[in-house]
């Protein structure tokens, strides 16, 4: 499988909810989540992100996040891993859904990224 999707959120419920939503449109993709802290509170966990990356079956991972420390921990992981991970600074739900639907039909990365541009968070 060319691409997998990674959802990183401060909330385990939000991460799982986004996964549930995009699984409907992209049932063949590997979609993994990292939501909340290690003790399941609101926040971000580098360990959970690492586990979600390790469990993702995509050759490359398209990563989406919600807030500041999720982004920070994801960026830390990018420096520590050999995996090819593409991080997108876009609206979480809309971005993950757009990327997943295009990856499901095996669109090239350039097409996926072009479609994510209007969703960029400034």
């Amino acid at each position: 499988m060319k691409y997998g999707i990674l959802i990183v959120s401060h909330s385990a419920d939000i991460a799982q909810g986004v996964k549930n939503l995009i699984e409907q449109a992209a049932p063949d993709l590997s979609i993994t989540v990292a939501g909340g802290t290690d003790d399941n509170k609101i926040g971000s966990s580098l360990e959970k992100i690492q586990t979600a990356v390790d469990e993702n079956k995509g050759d490359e991972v398209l990563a989406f996040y919600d807030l500041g420390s999720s982004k920070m921990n994801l960026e830390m992981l990018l420096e520590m891993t050999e995996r090819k991970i593409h991080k997108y600074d876009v609206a979480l739900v809309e971005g993950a859904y757009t990327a997943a639907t295009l990856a499901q039909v095996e669109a090239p990365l350039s097409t996926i990224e072009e479609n994510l541009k209007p969703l960029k968070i400034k």
Side-chain angles (χ1 to χ4, degrees):
M1 166 181 332
K2 179 69 175 167
Y3 299 114
I5 302 287
L6 169 64
I7 307 298
V8 181
S9 174
H10 277 63
S11 165
D13 292 337
I14 289 174
Q16 188 60 49
V18 173
K19 178 182 179 180
N20 294 346
L21 177 68
I22 63 179
E23 279 179 331
Q24 299 300 309
D28 300 326
L29 293 187
S30 178
I31 304 166
T32 54
V33 301
T37 62
D38 292 332
D39 57 354
N40 295 316
K41 295 193 174 159
I42 297 295
S44 182
S45 163
L46 180 59
E47 185 176 316
K48 282 188 173 186
I49 297 169
Q50 177 69 63
T51 299
V53 167
D54 291 345
E55 291 174 355
N56 197 292
K57 294 175 178 57
D59 297 330
E60 298 180 30
V61 177
L62 310 180
F64 301 88
Y65 65 91
D66 60 1
L67 299 170
S69 66
S70 291
K71 178 181 182 181
M72 180 189 68
N73 281 325
L74 181 56
E75 288 173 343
M76 274 197 280
L77 179 71
L78 293 174
E79 295 176 12
M80 300 168 22
T81 186
E82 303 272 324
R83 293 281 310 266
K84 182 70 171 173
I85 300 173
H86 307 272
K87 177 184 66 71
Y88 297 103
D89 301 323
V90 298
L92 174 64
V93 176
E94 295 86 344
Y97 188 87
T98 297
T101 56
L102 290 168
Q104 175 69 31
V105 297
E106 300 180 7
L109 186 60
S110 60
T111 299
I112 295 170
E113 291 182 340
E114 188 63 33
N115 280 274
L116 290 175
K117 283 182 183 177
L119 303 173
K120 185 158 177 60
I121 296 172
K122 297 177 181 175

